[in-house]
Structure formats: structure tokens, C-alpha cells
Amino acid sequence: MSSSDFLFSFLLFFQVQIESIKESGFYKILAEKYPQVSQGLSQAPKMEPEIEELLKATGLDFDDLAQISLTIEGLDGISNASQEGRSPKIGSELDFLFTGNFKGELNAMKIFAFMLDKIDEEKGKEYRDKVEKTLSKDGKSASLIMPSDLLDQVFSDTDLLFLISQEGNYSKISVGLSGKMDSVPSSGDQNSSLACVNAMAKDRQITLGIKVDPALWERPEFNSQQQNPLLAGLANSVKGIREFGLSVSFREESLGLEICVNCKDTQSALGLWTVAQGGLGMAQLAMAQEGGQAPAILSRVKTQAEEKNVFVRVDILEEDFDEFEGMGLLSQSGESQEPDSKKDFNSLIGSKVPDFKAKLLDGSPFDPAEHKGKVLILDFWATWCGPCVKALPELIDATSGFGDDRVQLVAVNQGEGKKAISQFLKKEKLNGLKVALDRDRQVGGAFKVKGIPHTVIIDRKGVIRHVHVGFSSGMGDRLRTEVMKLLTE
């Protein structure tokens, strides 16, 4: 089955408000802490040589790009492409409109002159003159029509219109089908016919909306499980979907994510919401099983059914990105992190404790140098880490019988804030645990922490004697044996 077999009529809208994102407080937080997150908005994408030549010749600057919008509509004729096993053509089978807003004033005539020169080079003066006759200027707008016979016939069978206009402190470049661009919206969402787009957060800067052909749900794969009541119910809920929407809102202290699914009626929306709510509950249960704790972000995911729409929303906080980093999903350098090897952390054994100072959860200072004469155990952990949560009680039990004057256990939290840690300790009844804060993971870096739990045992002279990574059954007994041996030295 080829990809063309899946072609149905559809409507897609995509918009990114780049300037607004860069001005948000949360973007600035991410840009400083995780440069790779902002790299896509800060660097120009790799472009074709012709586009790079255009930018150089006309003074267009990617850094001045404030907003891009794209609308694509699959027309009724798109089924022809499916039947003939080819890509759909712009014009008879696909309609599209692209706009790019730039800060400042663009020299439209210079841009069009560049395009005409390229036509002259590739097609000759006759074609150039033909296109130049379509050039028009009206006040702050200028336009040029690219005839279909100059375009790749496999790509398009309709003339394209290039329109450059000045609107206040911004210039707009629009490209679309000639005859369908009489009224290009000046700002905001270009396609308000999508219910999901209209229903999502108004402060969003990234928007994606898709309207699907109901015929899609009549395919055999959506009707093959009718004998199974559970799968049949899910299939029937899915078959009520008419639109998908996704939005991202960069706010001052959070990143708002929202999914909106528009259904044919309220009954379909309620059924789909029930499925979404059940799936969320199962995910929370699965990630919190065996005594572990689900990532904090999972508890903030909310679902809602409102008339014909089903919403899934969550606000991502700065500490969530710290948690993602701790899980190995994100790194400040932008490079993937390999799992910590035994050889790597064993290189610590026999060396002096790295010089560091930290703050305890209660605000008092922690300096390992002040604990010389004791066996010091540093356990690097986080509340979202299931193995860490299982390991802590064993570590506490293994060290509690020695007395704080002989053995000191300090749980060094990786990347989390005081509120999350305090709530966790209260819930797990671990209020007596001494917790050091390592919000930026500098202490963890000094001890080569890449995977947690990561437990370091230091003798009474301040020398690292044992390092263990991960949780294993009986680790408390092993730790007790190691501590007792160090105390006899």
C-alpha cells in the first residue's frame, strides 16, 4: 500500500509567532539554560542555494522573521492523485497560502527584480518579459504572478501570486494561488474556519490545526474490531473526530501545551474524553508502580470535554525540564548522554572527596569537610526516580543504627525545588532525612553522576571507598557491611 492511498480532502493550518516567543519570559529561561531548545528559532535553517542567493542579493534576514503561517487544503480532486499513484498538484488538487512577516521594510521591487533576473538566466528574455508584465505596485503593496508554464508541471498546474506588502513596522511576503489571494489577512490566524483553532488558548504562539475528511474513518482498519466491545467503543469514538489542534504558549514562567480534538457531536466528544481520561489514569498508574513516583508533570495533565471539543492541557515548568534532564531526555549541552559506565564512576574510588559546598533543605550549609571522622554517605536522587524512592528506605534503615556522630547519610537531590522535595518527604514520611540541594547538578557532575540513584560511600579520612549506581535488592545489607568495615579501620 503506497502513501498516496491515504490521500483524502483535508485542511491544515500552521503558524509560528517567532517574535512573540523570543520576547516571552519562559523562552529566555530556556535559551539561557538549554541553548539547544532555542536553537531552532535562533539559527537560520539550511536552505537551497537559490534562497541563500536571494537573501544575499536583497538584504532579507532570517533574524528579522517575526511570524510564519501556512494553510494547505486538499481539494476534492486530491483523490485523482491517489488513484494515479502520484503526488497531488497545487491548483487543481491542493490549495495553499504561505505568509512570512518580517520586521522592518522590505524592498519589494528589488526582490522581484532578482526573481526576474533568474527567469532571464534560466528561461530567456521572452519568459522574463511575460512575467514582468504581471508586476504591479499599488501604494504599499507590490505583486508578481508566476505563470503555471514556468513552474514544474508535476508540482503545479496553476499560476502562483507573490505579494509583498507593508503593514506598519512589518513587511509581509505572501505566496498563494492567483485569484484566491484578494484578501490576505493582515494578522492573527489565517484560518478561523477550524473550530479547534478558535477554541484553543488565545495567547498561543505555535498553532497547528487539521480538519480531516470523515471518509478517513471508514477505512477497513477502523472497522475490523467491531466484535471486541472495548476496541469497538474506541473505534467509534475515533470515528467521531473531525479536527485536531495543537497549541504551544510561551508564557512568563511556564510553557502551556494544549491538544484540542473537535468531534461531530457532544456524544462523540464525551466518549473520546472518557478514553483520554482512562488513558491518562493508566499512564499515571504505570509510571508510579512498584513504589516509584510519576514525574510531577504527569499529575498536572488535565482533560476536559466541552460541547464538541475534548481538551488535554498541561503547563510545563522550569523544574520539569530539570526532571527531563535527569531522566536523560535532555542535556544542557544538547548532546545525548551515554549511560554511566562502571569504569567511569569507579575512577572515583580511592580519591579525595571533591571540594564542594551545598545548601540543605532547611537552608543551613553543608560542607563535607566538616564531617571528617565520620563515614559519609552521599545518595544522589530525585522524587520522580522510582529506583531512588525504593532505595531511600533501605539506606535510612542501614545507617540509622550507627548514630549521627559516626555515620551521616545525606540525600543529594538532583535538580528539583524545595516545594516538590518537601511534599515528597511528607508524603513518604521521610521528614528526618537530611537532604542537600543540587539544583544545577554541579555537585552531581563532580561525582560523575549520570544515572540515579548514585550512592557514594566516603571513609572517615574523606576518601571515596565505594560507588554504587542503581537499585538492587539487599543493597541496605551491603551498605551496612561496608560501613561497619570502614568504622573498624
Side-chain angles (χ1 to χ4, degrees):
M1 182 179 292
S2 67
S3 61
S4 60
D5 291 331
F6 291 92
L7 289 177
F8 292 88
S9 61
F10 66 93
L11 178 64
L12 179 148
F13 172 76
F14 178 67
Q15 183 181 80
V16 182
Q17 299 174 10
I18 300 171
E19 184 179 30
S20 178
I21 291 175
K22 290 182 177 180
E23 291 175 349
S24 70
F26 200 74
Y27 174 82
K28 294 173 183 176
I29 292 173
L30 294 183
E32 179 178 355
K33 195 167 187 178
Y34 303 101
Q36 72 276 16
V37 175
S38 61
Q39 188 175 6
L41 290 177
S42 301
Q43 294 183 359
K46 185 177 181 180
M47 293 171 283
E48 295 295 327
E50 294 82 358
I51 300 298
E52 293 182 350
E53 187 179 354
L54 171 64
L55 297 178
K56 184 177 180 180
T58 61
L60 281 172
D61 192 336
F62 183 83
D63 289 338
D64 293 330
L65 185 60
Q67 176 179 300
I68 58 171
S69 299
L70 176 66
T71 301
I72 302 177
E73 183 175 4
L75 306 175
D76 292 339
I78 199 172
S79 60
N80 296 332
S82 177
Q83 295 169 3
E84 298 172 13
R86 59 173 174 79
S87 299
K89 291 184 178 182
I90 292 176
S92 60
E93 298 161 348
L94 279 180
D95 187 4
F96 90 103
L97 172 62
F98 169 83
T99 64
N101 287 20
F102 289 81
K103 291 179 287 185
E105 184 175 354
L106 297 180
N107 189 327
M109 303 311 291
K110 189 174 183 179
I111 294 173
F112 288 146
F114 173 85
M115 295 172 64
L116 291 170
D117 288 342
K118 297 299 291 184
I119 293 173
D120 197 342
E121 290 178 15
E122 297 176 7
K123 296 289 187 176
K125 187 176 185 303
E126 182 181 350
Y127 275 97
R128 176 200 171 102
D129 292 342
K130 180 179 179 179
V131 177
E132 192 168 10
K133 288 179 181 179
T134 70
L135 180 62
S136 66
K137 194 173 188 307
D138 181 14
K140 295 185 177 181
S141 299
S143 63
L144 183 74
I145 296 176
M146 191 70 67
S148 59
D149 59 352
L150 277 178
L151 303 170
D152 187 341
Q153 295 299 303
V154 176
F155 166 73
S156 175
D157 55 14
T158 304
D159 298 348
L160 293 184
L161 175 66
F162 292 77
L163 175 65
I164 300 177
S165 57
Q166 185 72 27
E167 300 175 0
N169 296 324
Y170 294 86
S171 298
K172 174 178 286 187
I173 297 180
S174 304
V175 183
L177 301 185
S178 178
K180 292 190 176 183
M181 287 177 57
D182 295 334
S183 57
V184 178
S186 59
S187 62
D189 297 325
Q190 293 180 2
N191 205 303
S192 59
S193 66
L194 289 171
C196 61
V197 169
N198 292 330
M200 291 188 296
K202 303 305 179 186
D203 65 345
R204 63 185 182 270
Q205 291 101 346
I206 300 178
T207 306
L208 174 65
I210 302 175
K211 185 175 183 177
V212 297
D213 188 341
L216 174 66
W217 310 123
E218 298 306 320
R219 295 185 63 86
E221 54 264 35
F222 294 102
N223 294 279
S224 60
Q225 300 292 340
Q226 294 300 317
Q227 69 277 11
N228 185 316
L230 180 62
L231 295 178
L234 175 60
N236 289 333
S237 297
V238 170
K239 289 167 70 174
I241 295 174
R242 294 297 177 264
E243 296 179 13
F244 293 96
L246 170 67
S247 75
V248 182
S249 302
F250 284 77
R251 298 169 177 140
E252 285 307 300
E253 297 181 352
S254 67
L255 183 71
L257 295 183
E258 180 179 33
I259 296 173
C260 175
V261 182
N262 177 259
C263 301
K264 65 178 182 180
D265 51 38
T266 56
Q267 183 177 356
S268 298
L270 185 60
L272 191 65
W273 172 80
T274 302
V275 173
Q277 188 71 1
L280 177 61
M282 291 176 63
Q284 291 171 333
L285 181 62
M287 297 192 73
Q289 65 183 350
E290 298 182 5
Q293 179 162 321
I297 188 175
L298 199 58
S299 66
R300 299 197 303 274
V301 177
K302 305 298 180 186
T303 64
Q304 179 185 4
E306 185 177 317
E307 297 182 346
K308 296 181 181 181
N309 296 322
V310 178
F311 297 94
V312 180
R313 301 184 178 102
V314 65
D315 280 340
I316 301 179
L317 309 177
E318 181 182 357
E319 47 262 41
D320 293 321
F321 280 84
D322 294 333
E323 190 168 329
F324 299 154
E325 184 183 344
M327 296 169 67
L329 302 177
L330 186 67
S331 66
Q332 292 191 11
S333 65
E335 299 176 354
S336 60
Q337 295 187 16
E338 297 295 326
D340 199 357
S341 67
K342 187 173 181 179
K343 180 179 179 181
D344 188 21
F345 62 71
N346 273 353
S347 66
L348 292 169
I349 296 174
S351 63
K352 288 283 187 180
V353 175
D355 185 25
F356 75 91
K357 294 181 181 180
K359 289 282 188 181
L360 296 176
L361 187 60
D362 62 8
S364 59
F366 172 69
D367 185 349
E370 296 178 357
H371 291 271
K372 278 192 177 180
K374 305 178 186 178
V375 174
L376 177 62
I377 301 157
L378 302 178
D379 183 60
F380 295 86
W381 70 292
T383 64
W384 50 263
C385 168
C388 299
V389 174
K390 290 189 287 185
L392 281 174
E394 291 207 27
L395 297 179
I396 294 171
D397 183 62
T399 57
S400 59
F402 292 106
D404 291 345
D405 59 330
R406 302 175 67 202
V407 177
Q408 182 66 65
L409 169 65
V410 179
V412 186
N413 183 273
Q414 297 294 280
E416 297 182 287
K418 291 183 179 181
K419 183 177 179 181
I421 299 170
S422 298
Q423 290 176 344
F424 168 82
L425 295 178
K426 182 178 180 181
K427 176 185 175 184
E428 300 296 327
K429 299 180 181 179
L430 298 175
N431 294 317
L433 180 65
K434 189 183 291 284
V435 177
L437 304 177
D438 187 18
R439 191 68 187 269
D440 56 7
R441 293 183 173 83
Q442 289 189 2
V443 180
F447 284 88
K448 301 185 179 181
V449 174
K450 295 179 183 176
I452 53 176
H454 181 113
T455 309
V456 180
I457 298 96
I458 303 161
D459 68 17
R460 292 186 290 176
K461 297 179 180 179
V463 176
I464 297 173
R465 299 293 294 273
H466 303 282
V467 180
H468 304 292
V469 176
F471 171 80
S472 60
S473 179
M475 65 178 299
D477 293 335
R478 179 191 63 203
L479 175 64
R480 186 180 293 107
T481 299
E482 291 171 345
V483 170
M484 290 179 64
K485 185 175 180 181
L486 293 177
L487 288 173
T488 62
E489 294 181 354

